[in-house]
Amino acid sequence: GMKECVVCWCTVLAACVACALAASSCSSYTSCDTCTANAGCGWYAPTSGVTNGKYVWSCVQGTEFECTDTVCKNTNNYLYTHDHCPANNAVSEVMRQRRAIRKYLTTPIPNNVLADIITMGNWAPSAMDGEPWRWYAVSNQQIISDISDAVKVATNSTDSASVFYDAPAVFFLFADYGDDSTHQFQDVDGALAIQNVLLYAYSLGLSTCPVGYSRDAEDYIRQVLEVPDTFHFVLAVTIGHPAMTATHDRQVAWVEYV
């Protein structure tokens, strides 16, 4: 409610001062109950190493932002707020707070964490319970860079930045319906699994971004990842530790009740 928001912002404003002087760590990447200073006009940054399988987050004072009482923004007009970790990991809070992130720390994501996220993706529904998902989890930065270059060639882009935003890992999702390579629901099944991935990754303190332009380099992706011809390419999704938190309000839902 409004009262809680006011209290929350007051807490964060006070934390900004403390954050400028010293780091204040969160309890873990699955709980932010003790993180009163996890964003003093800056970004979330994990400390080195992993403790008991959980990433520890620290407050970092930002130096590249214009700050107001409520938001920060950098030269790319990305907006930053204090709020990243979902309250009690509630599903509704994860849904409300997740945003597409286009700036990542270089911290690698261990394969067991990637596997855990993919497992949650595979709990999505699918047509006739086909479970067609075939995931390629790519952490090799040279391969990611090469695919990014192929996407830029395919889209006539002259942008020097990676289309995968320098993420430490990228998921490439394919759907496999065997000989039925034109199955009408393969993109829908893929989208359902991707949404699971986006939400679950966020609940772990990680961020993601679906990359639609990846589909323009499908032939190259198939070649470099040695993907079977019967697999249908759905989409690529970046994943990593966020170096920003974006805030974009949602419009009131359009609905007609009949």
Side-chain angles (χ1 to χ4, degrees):
M2 183 61 71
K3 181 182 296 184
E4 288 80 2
C5 289
V6 172
V7 172
C8 186
W9 276 117
C10 289
T11 301
V12 172
L13 289 174
C16 285
V17 177
C19 185
L21 301 175
S24 176
S25 296
C26 295
S27 58
S28 74
Y29 79 154
T30 57
S31 173
C32 275
D33 293 341
T34 62
C35 302
T36 56
N38 66 333
C41 203
W43 56 75
Y44 304 93
T47 58
S48 60
V50 177
T51 303
N52 296 325
K54 296 181 178 181
Y55 294 91
V56 180
W57 295 80
S58 299
C59 175
V60 176
Q61 176 69 9
T63 58
E64 60 180 82
F65 310 105
E66 293 180 18
C67 301
T68 69
D69 288 342
T70 55
V71 298
C72 318
K73 73 175 182 177
N74 67 1
T75 54
N76 293 323
N77 289 320
Y78 286 132
L79 296 180
Y80 297 70
T81 70
H82 71 286
D83 194 4
H84 171 75
C85 293
N88 300 319
N89 203 26
V91 173
S92 62
E93 290 303 307
V94 171
M95 290 178 173
R96 288 177 182 273
Q97 294 179 22
R98 182 219 57 81
R99 297 292 186 274
I101 295 299
R102 296 174 174 85
K103 186 176 181 180
Y104 296 93
L105 300 172
T106 58
T107 308
I109 311 300
N111 283 345
N112 66 307
V113 176
L114 298 177
D116 189 26
I117 295 168
I118 288 171
T119 296
M120 294 299 102
N122 285 359
W123 277 102
S126 59
M128 303 298 291
D129 200 24
E131 300 183 32
W133 309 291
R134 304 294 181 264
W135 301 88
Y136 290 77
V138 181
S139 298
N140 184 305
Q141 290 300 301
Q142 186 59 59
I143 292 177
I144 293 174
S145 178
D146 290 345
I147 295 176
S148 173
D149 289 342
V151 172
K152 286 188 280 189
V153 169
T155 57
N156 297 316
S157 172
T158 59
D159 193 338
S160 61
S162 169
V163 301
F164 301 117
Y165 313 112
D166 298 316
V170 181
F171 291 145
F172 294 88
L173 175 59
F174 290 77
D176 177 20
Y177 276 103
D179 294 335
D180 189 3
S181 60
T182 61
H183 194 286
Q184 61 179 323
F185 295 125
Q186 47 198 1
D187 282 318
V188 175
D189 289 345
L192 292 169
I194 286 173
Q195 182 70 345
N196 272 19
V197 162
L198 304 184
L199 296 176
Y200 185 66
Y202 182 83
S203 78
L204 300 182
L206 298 171
S207 290
T208 55
C209 184
V211 183
Y213 283 123
S214 61
R215 296 179 66 141
D216 289 292
E218 177 178 348
D219 290 343
Y220 182 79
I221 292 170
R222 288 182 175 279
Q223 175 187 338
V224 72
L225 298 182
E226 300 181 354
V227 179
D229 292 339
T230 56
F231 287 14
H232 169 78
F233 182 46
V234 179
L235 202 64
V237 178
T238 61
I239 184 165
H241 298 281
M244 58 166 284
T245 51
T247 59
H248 304 284
D249 289 336
R250 289 294 186 263
Q251 299 178 7
V252 176
W254 191 102
V255 57
E256 182 174 346
Y257 299 98
V258 180

